[in-house]
Amino acid sequence: MSKRTAATPFALWMGIFTVVPMAIVLWFAFTDETGAFTTANIAKIWQFAGTYVDSIWMGALATVICLVLAYPVALSISRKSEHMQRTMVMIVMLPMWMNFLLRTYAWMTLLENNGLINQFLRTIGVIGPDATLSMINTDGAVVLGMVYNFLPFMILPLYSVMAKMDHRIIEAAQDLGCNSWQVFRRVILPLSAPGIVSGVTMVFVPAVSTFVISKLLGGSKYMMIGDVIETMFVGDGCDYNVGAALSLVLMVLMLICMSLMRKVDNGEDELGGMMT
């Protein structure tokens, strides 16, 4: 079987589920209700510039928090025995077996004004019996929901790279007089750069475009670009053409971010992992 023949199923899959949907988005983005060519839909994007900025900011914040939390966890898992590694990876993946929507609803139950957290705080006397700690419908709740749902997508790529590190390199650095911080900065961190790039990409892209988390945990006060796009395709005031334009711009922004991350990764590889 030739390589071209073997790649045919993949090419068909990409054509049907990637190329065709992209062509449809492009068509609606640059046409009006009559099907005539127009750039008016793209011009309307400036009305949502603030929403784009807020979405990118909150997605970036959630990504940074995921990286800070995931890195030590992945490093710790990679240093365990093989049996313990498999067990801990399964524990990390366990929440992903539950439906995404149900996990988000669970956080609503915890964070709402009469939720479990407020009830617990009243019970131990941290807040008064009639007081309420406002946690739901805040930007913090949205970021928390992102971190909880997307954290495994940061841990797994980091662990995959760290588990393959040659520990003899670390031992060699220690033999050459490097302390723990120098070993981490000059050896572990550069070698884990591909995992960081993959994890950041896997978390940042869905975090920026999410709409379920912001709708359930943020309420109507914290709309992200995903929520705006959803309103363009669902409801009485839907506008497929503007919605397609918003989606197109979001995809372009995501591609730019992924390209920048890839250049950073390639630059580190060319420098020999910055081990200087």
Side-chain angles (χ1 to χ4, degrees), residues 4 21 101 120 125 128 154 174 192 224 234 244 250-251 254 258:
R4 181 175 298 180
L101 189 59
F120 176 74
M154 183 69 76
Q174 293 171 338
S192 62
M224 299 182 65
V234 179
L250 181 60
M251 284 189 287
M254 294 299 98
M258 293 172 65

Side-chain angles (χ1 to χ4, degrees), residues 82-158:
E82 291 186 7
H83 175 73
M84 184 60 67
Q85 286 183 29
R86 290 193 295 268
T87 302
M88 295 183 72
V89 168
M90 185 187 69
I91 294 174
V92 170
M93 295 179 61
L94 197 59
M96 300 172 63
W97 297 357
M98 187 184 298
N99 183 271
F100 181 90
L101 189 59
L102 292 178
R103 282 180 280 156
T104 308
Y105 270 120
W107 274 108
M108 289 181 63
T109 304
L110 292 171
L111 299 176
E112 62 187 7
N113 293 338
N114 291 318
L116 297 178
I117 294 179
N118 269 303
Q119 292 179 18
F120 176 74
L121 294 177
R122 294 190 191 104
T123 301
I124 63 176
V126 174
I127 59 177
D130 298 324
T132 298
L133 182 62
S134 297
M135 294 177 287
I136 197 73
N137 297 335
T138 63
D139 53 353
V142 176
V143 173
L144 175 63
M146 291 180 184
V147 171
Y148 171 75
N149 282 291
F150 301 135
L151 185 60
F153 295 105
M154 183 69 76
I155 295 177
L156 295 178
L158 287 171

Side-chain angles (χ1 to χ4, degrees), residues 192-204:
S192 62
I196 295 175
V197 172
S198 298
V200 167
T201 302
M202 293 178 66
V203 172
F204 182 70

Side-chain angles (χ1 to χ4, degrees), residues 36-112:
F37 176 81
T38 181
T39 58
N41 300 320
I42 301 297
K44 294 179 181 178
I45 297 301
W46 294 108
Q47 301 175 11
F48 307 97
T51 306
Y52 276 109
V53 173
D54 292 341
S55 300
I56 292 174
W57 159 247
M58 295 183 70
L61 179 60
T63 302
V64 171
I65 295 174
C66 282
L67 179 60
V68 172
L69 295 177
Y71 201 97
V73 173
L75 185 61
S76 176
I77 294 175
S78 66
R79 294 184 173 182
K80 304 295 182 182
S81 63
E82 291 186 7
H83 175 73
M84 184 60 67
Q85 286 183 29
R86 290 193 295 268
T87 302
M88 295 183 72
V89 168
M90 185 187 69
I91 294 174
V92 170
M93 295 179 61
L94 197 59
M96 300 172 63
W97 297 357
M98 187 184 298
N99 183 271
F100 181 90
L101 189 59
L102 292 178
R103 282 180 280 156
T104 308
Y105 270 120
W107 274 108
M108 289 181 63
T109 304
L110 292 171
L111 299 176
E112 62 187 7

Side-chain angles (χ1 to χ4, degrees), residues 214-234:
S214 54
K215 176 180 290 186
L216 297 180
L217 299 181
S220 58
K221 296 193 301 181
Y222 298 92
M223 288 190 66
M224 299 182 65
I225 193 61
D227 300 293
V228 177
I229 293 173
E230 184 200 18
T231 61
M232 294 296 173
F233 289 95
V234 179

